[in-house]
């Protein structure tokens, strides 16, 4: 497990600035590791310090949490608070976010196990395809026929592994689910639906399909996974990870606040959601289709812009459950320039890679990048601050003609300089009305 300083260094490869937010999250993550080293009695007493991130859209709130989960293989889900409703109203109840985390954890552990058992899975797939290409000899075949069969088998196996048979069609039998349970149903109803499907005997059936070998490989891999992997062990490990290392990122938390100006404070779709969130964040047991998931040690990270409200507009009990607060900085011209140039997979590198597939050698001059950053910062200031997301709109507008006419630029080198950026955006950026609709 990395130290907080090392975690921040890793995050710096993908996210520019926001040092305070990175530091707070790095410490929260390290504390989870520290907790796991303690004796059971003390470990159960330590609860995670949930985090409230405050900042405009596009400044990196979600990206910080998402990158952390990817770097450390943690069960992670991002939900939007505005999509939930109070119990008794039509819509999703807040407990569904915990069930989503359980699903994410199972998928994460399952993908790890598939990678570990890739040799066994590949072997199963090869055997199944070879059976179709060269059916086994009947019992009692002569030694001469067995010898010839083995030679033919090895030759076909070589061709299969080399990929020279990929375009050949074969007929395979696969299990197909004719009915699937709805993942958004409460666990009790899911179990009832699963039982009903088993009783009427239409859960799954074998279906014959005529596929190319390259497609048959991927279809058979799914079947092989269910036979090779121990799903019960995967579920147990997944539930353990979700309860001890899970992260739930609740975006748009400010959308469920009721402003102090509103004297009634009785909006059921807002304050009611906060009241329903409270037991989940405090720690409770939620039934999922994989078992009961305890939320005591799940880390909750809430985020919002808080333009129309303040964190103090949250109900007091919920405020107390997010003791760590961090305000993210707005992105100025220099920060936008660094976002375009420094990260591992920066936006500019993505566009260069995309046009490289069309044999177009795209380049951005330093003055061109600075001009893009300058226009993005000015537009954010004049109209609405949407942070780094403004860069997507601006670069798309600059590269619009080059992308459209990529075939005529094939084999050529194209440089995006300050003059090209001004030519494409100068007039638009100067006119506030035009910029409002185009940028």
């Amino acid at each position: 497990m990395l130290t907080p300083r090392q975690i921040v260094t890793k995050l710096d490869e993908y996210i520019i600035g926001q040092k305070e937010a990175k530091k707070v999250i790095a410490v929260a993550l390290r504390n989870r590791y520290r907790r796991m080293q303690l004796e059971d009695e003390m470990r159960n007493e330590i609860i995670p310090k949930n985090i409230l991130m405050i900042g405009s859209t596009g400044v990196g709130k979600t990206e910080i949490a998402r990158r952390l989960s990817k770097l450390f293989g943690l069960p992670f889900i991002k939900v939007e608070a505005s999509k939930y409703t109070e119990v008794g109203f039509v819509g999703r109840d807040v407990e569904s976010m915990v069930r989503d985390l359980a699903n994410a954890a199972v998928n994460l552990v399952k993908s790890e196990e598939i990678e570990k058992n890739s040799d066994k899975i590949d072997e199963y797939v090869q055997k199944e395809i070879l059976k179709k290409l060269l059916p086994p000899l009947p019992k009692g075949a002569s030694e001469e026929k067995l010898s010839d069969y083995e030679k033919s088998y090895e030759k076909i196996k070589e061709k299969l592994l080399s990929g020279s048979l990929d375009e050949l069609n074969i007929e395979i039998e696969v299990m197909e689910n004719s009915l699937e349970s709805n993942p958004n149903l409460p666990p009790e109803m899911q179990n009832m639906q699963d039982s009903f499907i088993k009783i009427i005997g239409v859960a799954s059936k074998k279906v014959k399909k005529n596929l190319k070998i390259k497609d048959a490989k991927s279809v058979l891999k799914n079947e092989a996974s269910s036979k090779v992997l121990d799903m019960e062990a995967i579920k147990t490990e997944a539930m353990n990870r979700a309860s001890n290392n899970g992260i739930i990122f609740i975006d748009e938390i400010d959308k469920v606040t009721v402003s102090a100006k509103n004297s009634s404070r009785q909006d059921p779709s807002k304050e009611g959601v906060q009241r329903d969130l409270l037991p989940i964040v405090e720690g409770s047991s939620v039934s999922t289709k994989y078992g009961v998931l305890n939320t005591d040690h799940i880390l909750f990270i809430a985020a919002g812009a808080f333009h129309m409200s303040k964190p103090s507009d949250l109900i007091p009990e919920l405020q107390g459950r997010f003791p760590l607060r961090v305000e993210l900085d707005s992105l100025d011209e220099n920060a936008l320039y660094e976002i375009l140039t420094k990260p591992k997979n920066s936006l500019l590198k993505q566009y260069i890679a995309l046009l490289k597939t069309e044999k177009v050698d795209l380049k951005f001059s330093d003055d061109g990048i600075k001009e893009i950053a300058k226009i993005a910062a000015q537009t954010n200031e004049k109209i609405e601050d949407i942070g780094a997301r403004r860069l997507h709109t601006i670069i798309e507008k600059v590269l619009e003609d080059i992308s459209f006419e990529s075939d005529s630029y094939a084999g050529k080198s194209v440089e995006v300089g300050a003059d090209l950026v001004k030519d494409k955006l100068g007039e638009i950026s100067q006119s506030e009305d035009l910029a409002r609709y185009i940028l």
Side-chain angles (χ1 to χ4, degrees), residues 7 20 28 66 82 165 176 226 243 264 280 282 329 342:
I7 292 170
E20 194 60 36
R66 192 173 66 84
S82 54
L165 301 177
E176 192 175 74
S226 62
S243 61
S264 69
I280 303 287
E282 280 180 338
D329 307 318
K342 284 190 176 180

Side-chain angles (χ1 to χ4, degrees), residues 134-148:
L134 194 66
L137 288 174
K139 286 182 181 179
S142 66
E143 285 189 18
E144 189 182 342
K145 282 188 177 179
L146 283 170
S147 176
D148 290 341

Side-chain angles (χ1 to χ4, degrees), residues 37 83 92 112 169 173 205 234 253 260 280 320 373 396:
Q37 311 309 308
K83 287 189 177 176
R92 295 194 77 187
E112 286 176 6
N169 276 45
E173 282 188 341
K205 57 182 179 182
I234 286 172
I253 193 76
I280 303 287
E396 278 291 339

Side-chain angles (χ1 to χ4, degrees), residues 18-34:
Q18 313 302 2
K19 294 205 177 295
E20 194 60 36
K22 289 174 185 172
K23 192 193 293 183
V24 168
I25 288 188
V27 170
L29 202 68
R30 182 68 182 185
N31 277 341
R32 316 201 83 187
Y33 166 77
R34 291 166 180 160

Side-chain angles (χ1 to χ4, degrees), residues 38-259:
L38 301 173
E39 296 294 326
D40 285 351
E41 189 181 345
M42 180 61 80
R43 185 194 304 169
N44 293 330
E45 291 296 318
I46 296 172
I47 58 170
K49 306 297 182 289
N50 298 320
I51 301 162
L52 178 63
M53 299 170 82
I54 305 157
S56 302
T57 183
V59 296
K61 301 188 295 291
T62 312
E63 191 65 10
I64 290 171
R66 192 173 66 84
R67 283 290 172 191
L68 270 183
S69 67
K70 273 191 175 181
L71 285 169
F72 300 105
L74 305 173
F76 171 85
I77 58 153
K78 173 186 177 278
V79 298
E80 290 178 8
S82 54
K83 287 189 177 176
Y84 296 96
T85 56
E86 186 179 1
V87 170
F89 288 79
V90 175
R92 295 194 77 187
D93 65 288
V94 294
E95 284 191 356
S96 64
M97 68 173 71
V98 182
R99 293 194 285 272
D100 290 343
L101 182 69
N103 288 331
V106 168
N107 291 335
L108 178 69
V109 177
K110 189 178 176 183
S111 62
E112 286 176 6
E113 289 301 311
I114 286 172
E115 204 171 316
K116 281 181 195 171
N117 293 279
S118 59
D119 291 343
K120 288 181 184 176
I121 291 167
D122 289 342
E123 191 180 334
Y124 175 90
V125 171
Q126 284 166 23
K127 280 182 179 177
E128 289 299 307
I129 293 173
L130 285 166
K131 273 183 199 174
K132 296 293 176 185
L133 293 171
L134 194 66
L137 288 174
K139 286 182 181 179
S142 66
E143 285 189 18
E144 189 182 342
K145 282 188 177 179
L146 283 170
S147 176
D148 290 341
Y149 178 84
E150 282 175 17
K151 285 175 187 175
S152 301
Y153 188 90
E154 289 303 319
K155 280 180 185 176
I156 292 173
K157 189 178 178 181
E158 277 179 33
K159 286 183 179 180
L160 180 66
L161 293 172
S162 68
S164 58
L165 301 177
D166 280 357
E167 296 302 314
L168 196 69
N169 276 45
I170 57 167
E171 190 179 75
I172 58 168
E173 282 188 341
V174 290
M175 296 298 288
E176 192 175 74
N177 288 333
S178 51
L179 282 175
E180 287 186 2
S181 59
N182 184 347
N184 293 323
L185 288 174
E188 297 81 8
M189 290 184 72
Q190 270 188 13
N191 293 337
M192 193 187 298
Q193 192 180 46
D194 290 341
S195 301
F196 179 71
I197 288 169
K198 283 174 186 173
I199 290 165
I200 61 175
V202 292
S204 57
K205 57 182 179 182
K206 282 208 166 186
V207 178
K208 287 184 178 181
K209 289 189 176 182
N210 199 289
L211 300 169
K212 287 183 178 178
I213 285 178
K214 63 179 178 183
D215 298 324
K217 283 177 184 175
S218 58
V219 172
L220 287 167
K221 268 186 182 179
N222 293 332
E223 193 177 300
S225 300
S226 62
K227 292 189 177 181
V228 170
L229 304 181
D230 181 352
M231 281 309 295
E232 287 308 312
I234 286 172
K235 287 175 190 176
T236 305
E237 172 62 18
M239 294 297 277
N240 181 47
R241 279 204 211 175
S243 61
N244 288 304
N245 296 312
I247 300 174
I248 295 180
F249 186 92
I250 308 171
D251 204 3
E252 296 187 349
I253 193 76
D254 56 317
K255 301 295 189 295
V256 295
T257 59
V258 182
S259 174

Side-chain angles (χ1 to χ4, degrees), residues 409-437:
Y409 290 103
K412 296 177 185 175
S413 180
V414 181
E415 185 174 78
V416 177
D419 291 339
L420 178 62
V421 176
K422 285 174 186 172
D423 182 49
K424 292 284 180 187
L425 300 173
E427 191 181 332
I428 298 169
S429 63
Q430 292 306 313
S431 168
E432 198 169 314
D433 291 333
L434 277 173
R436 195 176 292 278
Y437 289 101

